[in-house]
C-alpha cells in the first residue's frame, strides 16, 4: 500500500477551504490522505464538522472565544483542538507533504511562512503572502528546499502552460480578468453602488474580501504582483486582459508567436486538484466545458480610469520594497470601511492611493517583523486618511 500523503488546510472554513475539502473527500478523504491540521477563523461548528469528516489530527480556530464550542463539538472524537494566532502559526509549522494556504488577507502571511519554513510544499491560494512579502517568501522557499504550487486560478493556468525549460522564449504573460460586476458601469454609476452589488460576482462564488476586490479590480492588481513574484517574467511583460466569461484563466505568449492558454469552468476545484495532485493530474468534481453552449469568448482592454486599482498596483509593483504590502494593508482597511458602509465604493482606491503617496516604503523587507510593521503603519495611515477625506468632503 502506498503511504497516504500528509496534508494541512489553512483557512479550511472559507470558500477555497471548503472547495479543498470537497476535492479531498472526492479522492477518498481519510482513506486517501492523512489530514493533519485544519484551521478556521471563527466558525467552530463548521471546522469541527470538517475535521470529523476527514479525521484530521488537529483543528485550530483563530478566535479564542470559539475554543469552548470547538472543544465541545470535537469531544470524544480524539481530534485535538487549539485556538489563537500563536497556535495557528505553530500548527502551520508542522511539516506536511502538502499545505493548502487559504486564509484570507495579510493574516495568511505568518502561517504560510511557517509552513514554508517547515519544508511543506505549499498550494498557494493566499495571494497576499506574495504581495506583502514575495521576496522574503521566495528566499525562505529556496532555503527550505520546497516549492510553491499556485492555486489562484490565473496563476495555476500560467504554471500549467509555462514551459519551464523554455523561459528564454517567453514574450509575455496575459493575466485574464472577468472585469467583475461593474465591468460595464460608468464612473458615475459606480459612485453609488451598494455592498450587495459589489459582492455579486458574475462568474465566481468566493469569499467576501476577494469578491469586493474583484469589483474594484484590486484583485487583479494583487494578482499582477503575485505573478511577478511567482514567475521568471519581469513585471512589464505581464499584461491584463478583460475576458468576461472567465473560461480562459490566463495565457503565456512565446517569442515564436505561439500563445498557450489554460481553459476550464470557473471552479476553484480545478486549480486546487491540480496543485494537490502535482506533478500528476488527478480528477476533480467539476463540470467539463461545453464549447457549443459557450459559443464565444470575448476580450476587452482594461480601463484604468474606471478601475484605478490596476494602475495603483502596477506602480506599487514597480516601486517594490514594502509598497505592495502597504497597498494591500490600506486596501484591506478601506474595503472593510466600504463593507461597513462608512465610505463609498470609489473611495477605496482613492484612500489606497493617498496612503501610497505619503508612505515611505522604499526599503526591502528583511524579515517577517519588517512586513508586519509596514502593514501596521499603512493601516494606521489609512484610518487617518479616511478621516481627513471625510472632513474635507463634509
Ligand atoms: P474566505 O473569506 O471565504 O475564507 C478565509 C478563511 O480564512 C476562512 O477559513 C476564515 O475563517 C479564515 N480567516 C479569516 N481571517 C483570519 C485570520 N485573521 N486568522 C486566521 N484565519 C482567518 O476567503 P476565500 O475566498 O476562501 O479566499 C482565501 C484566500 O484565497 C484569499 O487570499 C483569496 O484572495 C484567495 N483566493 C480565493 C479564491 C476564491 O475563489 N475564493 C480564488 C483565488 C484566490
Ligand atoms: Mg484569481
Amino acid at each position: 500500500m502506498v503511504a497516504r500523503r500528509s496534508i494541512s488546510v489553512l483557512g479550511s472554513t472559507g470558500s477555497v477551504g471548503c472547495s479543498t475539502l470537497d476535492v479531498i473527500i472526492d479522492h477518498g478523504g481519510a482513506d486517501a490522505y492523512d489530514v493533519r491540521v485544519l484551521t478556521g477563523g471563527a466558525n467552530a461548528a463548521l471546522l469541527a464538522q470538517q475535521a470529523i469528516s476527514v479525521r484530521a489530527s488537529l483543528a485550530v480556530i483563530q478566535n479564542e472565544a470559539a475554543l469552548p464550542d470547538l472543544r465541545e463539538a470535537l469531544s470524544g472524537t480524539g481530534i485535538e483542538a487549539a485556538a489563537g494566532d500563536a497556535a495557528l502559526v505553530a500548527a502551520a509549522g508542522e511539516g506536511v507533504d502538502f499545505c493548502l494556504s487559504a486564509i484570507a488577507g495579510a493574516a495568511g502571511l505568518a502561517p504560510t511562512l511557517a509552513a514554508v519554513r517547515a519544508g511543506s510544499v505549499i498550494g498557494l491560494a493566499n495571494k497576499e503572502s506574495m504581495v506583502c512579502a514575495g521576496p522574503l517568501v521566495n528566499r525562505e522557499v529556496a532555503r527550505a528546499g520546497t516549492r510553491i504550487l499556485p492555486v489562484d486560478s490565473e496563476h495555476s493556468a500560467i504554471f500549467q502552460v509555462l514551459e519551464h525549460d523554455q523561459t528564454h522564449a517567453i514574450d509575455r504573460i496575459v493575466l485574464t480578468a472577468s472585469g467583475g460586476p461593474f465591468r460595464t458601469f460608468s464612473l458615475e454609476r459606480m459612485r453609488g453602488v451598494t455592498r450587495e452589488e459589489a459582492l455579486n460576482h458574475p462568474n465566481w462564488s468566493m469569499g467576501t474580501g476577494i469578491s469586493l476586490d474583484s469589483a474594484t479590480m484590486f484583485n487583479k492588481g494583487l494578482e499582477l504582483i503575485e505573478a511577478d513574484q511567482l514567475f521568471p517574467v519581469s513585471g512589464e511583460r505581464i499584461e491584463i486582459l478583460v475576458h468576461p466569461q472567465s473560461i480562459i484563466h490566463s495565457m503565456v505568449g512565446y517569442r515564436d508567436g505561439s500563445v498557450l492558454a489554460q481553459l476550464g469552468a470557473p471552479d476553484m476545484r480545478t486549480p486546487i486538484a491540480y496543485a494537490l495532485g502535482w506533478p500528476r493530474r488527478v480528477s476533480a468534481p467539476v463540470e467539463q466545458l461545453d464549447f457549443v453552449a459557450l459559443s464565444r469568448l470575448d476580450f476587452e482592454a482594461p480601463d484604468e480610469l474606471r478601475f484605478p486599482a490596476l494602475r495603483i498596483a502596477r506602480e506599487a509593483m514597480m516601486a517594490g520594497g514594502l509598497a505592495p504590502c502597504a497597498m494591500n494593508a490600506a486596501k484591506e482597511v478601506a474595503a472593510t470601511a466600504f463593507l461597513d458602509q462608512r465610505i463609498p465604493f470609489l473611495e477605496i482606491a482613492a484612500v489606497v492611493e493617498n496612503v501610497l503617496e505619503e508612505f515611505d516604503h522604499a526599503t526591502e523587507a528583511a524579515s517577517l517583523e519588517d512586513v508586519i510593521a509596514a502593514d501596521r503603519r499603512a493601516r494606521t495611515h489609512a484610518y487617518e486618511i479616511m478621516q481627513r477625506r471625510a472632513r474635507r468632503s463634509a
Side-chain angles (χ1 to χ4, degrees), residues 127 152-154 219-220 223:
K127 61 194 80 182
D152 209 346
S153 55
E154 295 76 3
N219 182 49
K220 211 50 55 179
E223 291 182 353

Side-chain angles (χ1 to χ4, degrees), residues 127 151-155 176 204 206 210 219-220 223 226 249 268:
K127 61 194 80 182
V151 167
D152 209 346
S153 55
E154 295 76 3
H155 304 74
T176 54
W204 295 91
M206 309 182 286
I210 183 172
N219 182 49
K220 211 50 55 179
E223 291 182 353
E226 181 188 15
H249 297 303
M268 287 304 291

